[in-house]
Amino acid sequence: MEEARIQTPLGIAVIRGNQDGVSAISVEDGTLKQERIPETLQVPCAQLKAYFEGELTQFDFPMQPEGTPFQKRVWQALEAIPYGQTVSYQELTLRLGDPKAIRAVAAANGKNPLWIVVPCHRVIGSDGSMTGYAGGIHRKKWLLNHESPTPQHSLFG
């Protein structure tokens, strides 16, 4: 397993994977002095940078996330949420065919190992609220604003 670290507007992205695909992408607070990108992770890193520069809306590098079959079903449903759009947890649960599984769907969403690439940030509360996000609500707001066709200017830094 190899690891790359790149600077993003939201902190340091840590990308883990090998020649078979990326297994994890996470974010850490801080600033890098020097990026480190192994050969096998060049494409995912380039695509993440293009996303943050507003030049990429869909990722197409190989992915190998580890999870239960249920978690993988939820993550596939997340990948189907179009760039610039959001769905509620309830709507996501209905798409998966079991309206009573909302807590399990929310838990699987929270276990998403592929930050940004599997867009769990596009899931919001039924009332439009910014519900929990493992990367922090400030990052979720930034990502949704970044993907919005009509970005909102924040009154609060």
Side-chain angles (χ1 to χ4, degrees):
M1 191 69 55
E2 296 192 82
E3 181 179 285
R5 292 175 165 271
I6 62 171
Q7 188 65 54
T8 76
L10 297 174
I12 301 165
V14 181
I15 302 98
R16 293 182 182 91
N18 58 31
Q19 68 279 354
D20 296 326
V22 173
S23 58
I25 301 173
S26 59
V27 63
E28 299 174 351
D29 291 329
T31 305
L32 278 177
K33 293 185 194 263
Q34 182 176 355
E35 293 184 345
R36 198 176 47 145
I37 306 173
E39 182 73 28
T40 57
L41 299 174
Q42 291 284 330
V43 171
C45 290
Q47 287 189 20
L48 277 168
K49 288 180 179 189
Y51 167 86
F52 281 110
E53 291 169 4
E55 299 170 358
L56 184 83
T57 60
Q58 191 164 351
F59 300 93
D60 64 1
F61 54 82
M63 295 172 235
Q64 300 283 354
E66 292 185 22
T68 68
F70 178 78
Q71 288 171 330
K72 289 180 180 182
R73 273 188 58 225
V74 172
W75 301 336
Q76 285 177 328
L78 292 171
E79 288 183 86
I81 304 169
Y83 181 93
Q85 295 183 26
T86 58
V87 300
S88 69
Y89 283 97
Q90 185 172 17
E91 184 178 343
L92 182 62
T93 302
L94 292 173
R95 288 182 185 184
L96 288 163
D98 187 355
K100 294 180 181 178
I102 194 161
R103 288 179 193 232
V105 168
N109 191 43
K111 297 280 187 188
N112 169 21
L114 295 169
W115 180 61
I116 296 177
V117 176
V118 174
C120 57
H121 60 277
R122 296 180 189 153
V123 183
I124 59 174
S126 294
D127 62 357
S129 63
M130 294 289 147
T131 56
Y133 183 64
I137 295 295
H138 68 288
R139 287 188 177 108
K140 182 172 189 163
K141 287 179 181 178
W142 191 98
L143 291 166
L144 292 175
N145 189 54
H146 176 70
E147 294 182 2
S148 173
T150 56
Q152 301 284 323
H153 294 286
S154 176
L155 297 175
F156 311 101

